[in-house]
Amino acid sequence: MCSTGSTEDVLQQMSKLWSMLDDLSENDPAAYRTLIEKQLKEGAEFRAPPELDSCLCTEILKPKKGLLYINICSWKCVPAPQDPSRLLPVYTGKLETGTNEDQGWYTVLDVALNPVLLQESRENKAEINQVYMLALSFAQKQLGMTLSQEYRVVNSSPNSSPDELHRRLGFQKLSSAPKQPDTAGQTPAALLQHISSLQSENQEDSAPQIICRPAEKIKKDLIQVISAASVGPQKPEYRLEVKTDAAGVPDSVELMVELPMVCSMSECQLSVSKDDVLLEVEDLYYLLVDFPKTVNEDTASAIFNKKKRRLTLKVNVL
């Protein structure tokens, strides 16, 4: 009885809506056309694919050491948060892992948020940092990973082409663009059905998982983490040794520096003098070390072990 009544109510409301559109099309064709085209445009925008906004990189400490890349994506089909007390919708893609010679073992996670949320967050550095820390917090808690407190924003992750992002997030591109209907030659009912199909087809094509967490709790937790993660370049762990020859005379100095967030030697800036060495990695590491012996800076050589993420500098003693 209740079900029948609800159906009849919906039909009555739809009938009134069609009647209003009929009247509008007859009395003000220009306004009718503008309204319908606006609805069609919104439907088409809802079908728009996710777009890469930024990419984070951090170190995975457990269960397996490696690098985690989080692609922060902008996607119009993700609902916008209504207010801070509501749940924050986040679409996540399928986790992907791989290995390569430059980076070793890595994991890629795609996280999609509403474009309005990302745009508003970019107007305030603290807020965009909160978005980044939300993504890191989700990865750590939901995927069972222990992550480093440090992260950096990079240009891209492995396997980050648009097609690969769409595949992992569940977005399926249509083989051809839908033909724009003749709004002037269709009835209001037919146009409403077409507009509805634009949204329903997109919902069927993409079905990513939705993770929701209370926005107020996220903000409170993230502010505490940001204060620890945004203190600037860190002093890395290092070991300094004086090497001797067969007679026990100091021969060279060797400096080994642990750089878990570095992928290649090209990211490191080294400056060697006879008295000290300065190592800088933008936004990540800063190390100034005095040599125990005066050295010949012209003999300095450095190598970076990509597997161990360790830089080794050797220089002869004068």
Side-chain angles (χ1 to χ4, degrees):
M1 188 72 175
C2 292
S3 176
T4 303
S6 298
T7 303
E8 290 177 354
D9 289 342
V10 172
L11 291 175
Q12 288 178 3
Q13 292 175 9
M14 292 299 296
S15 179
K16 290 179 180 179
L17 177 59
W18 288 336
S19 178
M20 291 171 61
L21 287 173
D22 277 328
D23 292 340
L24 183 62
S25 66
E26 292 177 3
N27 300 324
D28 193 346
Y32 167 75
R33 185 181 184 89
T34 300
L35 173 64
I36 296 302
E37 289 180 347
K38 179 177 180 292
Q39 297 299 317
L40 289 172
K41 181 181 178 181
E42 290 178 354
E45 288 179 348
F46 190 82
R47 297 183 63 89
E51 297 180 356
L52 181 63
D53 177 85
S54 53
C55 180
L56 310 181
C57 178
T58 189
E59 185 185 11
I60 303 173
L61 303 178
K62 295 179 181 180
K64 179 180 179 180
K65 283 199 171 185
L67 291 180
L68 172 66
Y69 292 91
I70 302 180
N71 291 316
I72 307 295
C73 301
S74 170
W75 200 0
K76 291 182 178 180
C77 73
V78 180
Q82 299 301 314
D83 59 66
S85 63
R86 298 286 186 90
L87 299 178
L88 182 64
V90 179
Y91 280 26
T92 62
K94 295 180 180 179
L95 202 65
E96 187 165 281
T97 60
T99 57
N100 59 36
E101 294 182 358
D102 292 335
Q103 300 163 327
W105 186 77
Y106 65 84
T107 300
V108 179
L109 174 66
D110 306 306
V111 175
L113 298 166
N114 182 270
V116 175
L117 173 67
L118 286 172
Q119 183 177 358
E120 292 178 348
S121 298
R122 290 222 168 269
E123 297 173 359
N124 185 309
K125 186 176 180 180
E127 290 186 6
I128 194 62
N129 283 340
Q130 289 180 19
V131 171
Y132 291 160
M133 294 307 300
L134 165 63
L136 291 167
S137 177
F138 163 75
Q140 181 160 274
K141 294 181 180 180
Q142 300 296 328
L143 304 180
M145 294 179 174
T146 301
L147 303 177
S148 168
Q149 289 283 315
E150 302 173 0
Y151 71 89
R152 56 178 174 155
V153 179
V154 296
N155 292 330
S156 63
S157 73
N159 305 328
S160 61
S161 70
D163 287 342
E164 289 168 317
L165 283 174
H166 299 168
R167 171 180 58 80
R168 291 193 296 264
L169 282 167
F171 176 83
Q172 296 180 6
K173 187 184 297 184
L174 293 181
S175 56
S176 60
K179 184 180 179 181
Q180 189 73 10
D182 180 10
T183 57
Q186 291 196 28
T187 65
L191 284 169
L192 281 175
Q193 183 177 3
H194 179 78
I195 293 168
S196 176
S197 68
L198 283 176
Q199 296 186 354
S200 62
E201 287 175 10
N202 187 71
Q203 290 173 335
E204 291 172 1
D205 287 343
S206 58
Q209 180 184 8
I210 300 179
I211 306 298
C212 298
R213 296 184 59 196
E216 286 183 342
K217 183 175 185 298
I218 289 172
K219 189 171 184 180
K220 180 179 179 182
D221 291 344
L222 292 181
I223 289 175
Q224 297 173 355
V225 179
I226 288 170
S227 64
S230 303
V231 294
Q234 304 294 305
K235 183 178 181 179
E237 296 182 6
Y238 71 95
R239 186 169 76 248
L240 187 64
E241 290 185 36
V242 176
K243 301 290 186 178
T244 57
D245 58 18
V249 178
D251 177 66
S252 62
V253 175
E254 182 178 271
L255 172 68
M256 289 181 285
V257 188
E258 305 297 329
L259 302 171
M261 291 291 293
V262 174
C263 296
S264 67
M265 188 69 189
S266 62
E267 299 177 52
C268 305
Q269 296 181 14
L270 275 171
S271 178
V272 181
S273 73
K274 64 178 183 178
D275 299 314
D276 56 34
V277 55
L278 173 64
L279 168 65
E280 293 180 281
V281 180
E282 187 176 3
D283 297 329
L284 290 177
Y285 299 112
Y286 180 92
L287 178 66
L288 178 61
V289 178
D290 292 330
F291 289 126
K293 300 285 184 179
T294 303
V295 302
N296 181 0
E297 62 265 38
D298 294 332
T299 64
S301 63
I303 58 173
F304 182 76
N305 187 313
K306 293 180 180 179
K307 185 175 181 180
K308 296 181 179 179
R309 302 190 186 280
R310 176 188 298 159
L311 182 144
T312 301
L313 170 73
K314 293 182 179 180
V315 58
N316 293 340
V317 173
L318 284 176

